[in-house]
Amino acid sequence: MVVSSAYQAAALMSIISFAGALVFVGCGRLASKFGIEDDKAVSFFDATCLTLAAAAMIGDACLHLIPETFEGTDEDTADRYGVLLVTGVVAVLAFEKICDACNTGTIEPFGVANLLVEGLHNFADGMALQVAWNSGKKIGVATTIAVAVHELPQELGDFAVLRRAGFATGPLLAANFVASLTCFGGVALAASPWGAERED
């Protein structure tokens, strides 16, 4: 039962990957109802989604994740975490440059990088969901809600980023959905004997 609840939470996260498209279609219909030109509506939608996603990501990192990482650590551990944080930022920038160098198609490299990072992020979400559900129903539900709430603005931003990268709507939805399925891999790893052994 515990594993099925984590898998159900992972399925919810995969469904949320369509949030950007649903909001985009809804905004398009609303804009046409008020006589707003399509180009202006799309531009406003993209800017709004990217701003919301960036604000959510920066807020989550600066107000929650980074302070929690350093909480209660000694100076040596804090130094190690700081080096890892800077290394992570540099790795993301280097990854984007590598994608730029390998660009040969019609899709911009930052779109491919976004999908790969999204897959890794969803994998980590899956591990967090499984660990939470292993800890109990209340913690599992709370973690599922927290992950879903942070996924919504991120998926809006992903939709806008992938559109700017050159994806047509159909392939964009398919690629983003495939990236969201890595959440199941995270659940499976955390539910595996190796994952359970590391948790103890």
Side-chain angles (χ1 to χ4, degrees), residues 9 15 20 58 70 82 110 120 126 150 153 173 185:
I15 291 168
I58 291 168
F70 289 97
F110 66 84
L120 181 62
H150 95 252
L173 292 175

Side-chain angles (χ1 to χ4, degrees), residues 112-190:
V112 176
N114 179 278
L115 285 171
L116 294 174
V117 171
E118 176 69 7
L120 181 62
H121 170 216
N122 287 327
F123 185 83
D125 282 349
M127 291 191 304
L129 288 167
Q130 178 60 40
V131 169
W133 280 99
N134 278 347
S135 299
K137 186 175 181 178
K138 282 185 180 180
I139 295 172
V141 169
T143 303
T144 300
I145 291 169
V147 170
V149 166
H150 95 252
E151 281 295 315
L152 284 170
Q154 180 194 331
E155 291 301 339
L156 291 173
D158 284 345
F159 187 81
V161 166
L162 294 173
R163 280 177 32 80
R164 283 203 180 173
F167 280 92
T169 303
L172 182 159
L173 292 175
N176 199 33
F177 182 69
V178 169
S180 76
L181 294 177
T182 60
C183 190
F184 287 100
V187 171
L189 176 64

Side-chain angles (χ1 to χ4, degrees), residues 32-49:
S32 64
K33 210 177 216 184
F34 288 104
I36 300 171
E37 297 173 25
D38 284 347
D39 290 346
K40 287 183 180 179
V42 168
S43 179
F44 176 77
F45 173 80
D46 285 351
T48 302
C49 287

Side-chain angles (χ1 to χ4, degrees), residues 80-118:
R80 270 194 312 251
Y81 288 160
V83 168
L84 287 172
L85 180 65
V86 171
T87 302
V89 170
V90 171
V92 168
L93 294 173
F95 183 69
E96 182 183 2
K97 293 299 178 191
I98 291 167
C99 287
D100 279 340
C102 298
N103 185 20
T104 58
T106 58
I107 303 299
E108 294 290 330
F110 66 84
V112 176
N114 179 278
L115 285 171
L116 294 174
V117 171
E118 176 69 7

